[in-house]
Amino acid sequence: MSRLNGKIAIVTGAAQGMGEAHARRFVAEGAKVVLTDLNEERGKQIAVELGENAHFVVHDVASLADWRRVVDETEATFGPPTVLVNNAGVLGPIVSTVDLDEDAYLKVCAINQHSQFYGMKSVIPAMQKAGGGSIINVSSIAGIVSIVGAPNLAYVGSKFASRGMTKHVAAQYGKDNIRVNSVHPGYIKTPMMAAATDEQGGGIAALVPLARMAEPDEVSQVVLFLASDESSYVTATEQIVDGGLTAQ
């Protein structure tokens, strides 16, 4: 498999869940991948499993300085990044708007929204130097509709912001052959989702027209398409991966 031969990718939140699936799929398809996460032990373990085309970096996505360090280390290790998957994110507390406190609101926005700004800001000059690239911002179906069961206002707001920032940057940098798209997963079998559904009582499959939750790699297949040259004329789009949930 060689759909990403020659690509150099940064994947955030790559120590578990969808980020891990994206990193594994990318390496299998020929990319060189820098995996980033705060979970150093697990991140290093995955990178070792993936071999010489994978490299792990401890990374606080809510820090612009950390982003600059990650891009510098990517260039030093593999070369200028040509793919960025802004995957890292958190749900935050499951509370009403009135009960959402300021610190929790700011933390969710910092990780889900500000990190994607920092990532794009940091990687675009390297992509310009490389002659182009693909940025994939992982949002959510909560960035498409006001979905029942979304954990809190900050989560929904940050996911809508991801969608808007995607379109703005895509319009700005298309001339540089930089494509920017957002991916909007529904209910995916990840550790983060498992914790949330336990708190909310589960029963999610009954809500989905396909009658099941998705495996992380089913999202990775869409992310792979956007990272590859197969999507060379696809930019500023929303790719929904939700088993038909938002059609209802």
Side-chain angles (χ1 to χ4, degrees):
M1 295 185 286
S2 57
R3 294 167 69 187
L4 296 182
N5 276 0
K7 305 293 187 187
I8 297 169
I10 298 170
V11 180
T12 68
Q16 67 172 14
M18 286 189 290
E20 177 183 348
H22 303 337
R24 290 186 182 279
R25 176 58 55 189
F26 277 25
V27 171
E29 293 287 352
K32 298 181 187 300
V33 181
V34 171
L35 300 82
T36 86
D37 206 289
L38 287 176
N39 187 342
E40 183 174 7
E41 181 179 359
R42 178 62 179 154
K44 283 184 174 179
Q45 178 185 342
I46 295 168
V48 169
E49 289 175 15
L50 292 176
E52 63 182 3
N53 288 331
H55 177 72
F56 176 76
V57 181
V58 177
H59 181 199
D60 176 4
V61 295
S63 163
L64 179 57
D66 253 25
W67 267 106
R68 288 173 171 158
R69 177 178 56 80
V70 166
V71 173
D72 287 346
E73 190 161 340
T74 301
E75 293 203 62
T77 304
F78 293 133
T82 53
V83 177
L84 168 62
V85 184
N86 267 323
N87 170 79
V90 294
L91 290 172
I94 300 173
V95 294
S96 69
T97 298
V98 171
D99 293 327
L100 179 64
D101 67 51
E102 182 182 13
D103 288 343
Y105 172 86
L106 292 174
K107 180 179 179 179
V108 171
C109 289
I111 295 171
N112 291 0
Q113 175 183 345
H114 302 167
S115 71
Q116 295 194 356
F117 160 57
Y118 296 151
M120 291 189 287
K121 176 181 175 67
S122 300
V123 83
I124 283 170
M127 288 184 173
Q128 290 172 317
K129 181 166 60 176
S134 175
I135 297 172
I136 299 111
N137 291 323
V138 179
S139 179
S140 165
I141 53 171
I144 297 291
V145 296
S146 179
I147 189 164
V148 174
N152 56 66
L153 173 72
Y155 182 81
V156 173
S158 65
K159 294 304 186 179
F160 266 90
S162 172
R163 178 183 173 193
M165 291 191 300
T166 293
K167 290 186 177 296
H168 182 79
V169 176
Q172 275 193 323
Y173 291 96
K175 67 183 186 305
D176 296 315
N177 195 34
I178 295 172
R179 298 181 295 105
V180 193
N181 294 280
S182 57
V183 173
H184 299 260
Y187 293 122
I188 316 299
K189 293 179 183 176
T190 65
M192 184 168 70
M193 183 59 66
T197 52
D198 284 347
E199 289 185 49
Q200 292 178 314
I204 279 175
L207 304 174
V208 181
L210 288 183
R212 63 179 178 86
M213 294 175 70
E215 299 294 336
D217 194 60
E218 293 181 280
V219 183
S220 297
Q221 295 292 349
V222 176
V223 174
L224 168 62
F225 168 70
L226 293 173
S228 76
D229 292 337
E230 296 164 18
S231 59
S232 58
Y233 203 60
V234 179
T235 195
T237 69
E238 297 105 354
Q239 302 292 319
I240 300 173
V241 190
D242 71 348
L245 183 62
T246 52
Q248 301 182 97

